[in-house]
Amino acid sequence: MARKNSNSNKTMKDYEESRKRLNTGAKIMALILVASMVVFYVLSAGMFLWD
């Protein structure tokens, strides 16, 4: 049982590290999505006002 516990501690640490990386990736993807939405809105508003 002690051996299994030490393995679970290692996997828990690995899980926390992978979760931090996943959160960072999710934040970057969200910022890219928001930026692309703003660019699309500005371009579509500009084309609408151009006519």
Side-chain angles (χ1 to χ4, degrees):
M1 288 298 278
R3 203 168 167 187
K4 186 177 180 184
N5 193 13
S6 66
N7 283 343
S8 69
N9 286 340
K10 182 185 175 199
T11 53
M12 192 64 172
K13 193 176 285 187
D14 291 342
Y15 168 74
E16 288 175 356
E17 289 176 6
S18 67
R19 197 187 65 190
K20 286 179 185 175
R21 273 187 265 127
L22 187 65
N23 282 347
T24 304
K27 287 178 185 176
I28 292 171
M29 287 174 61
L31 287 174
I32 291 172
L33 178 66
V34 168
S36 64
M37 289 172 66
V38 168
V39 168
F40 178 76
Y41 174 75
V42 168
L43 287 176
S44 61
M47 291 180 107
F48 177 75
L49 292 174
W50 193 268
D51 290 338

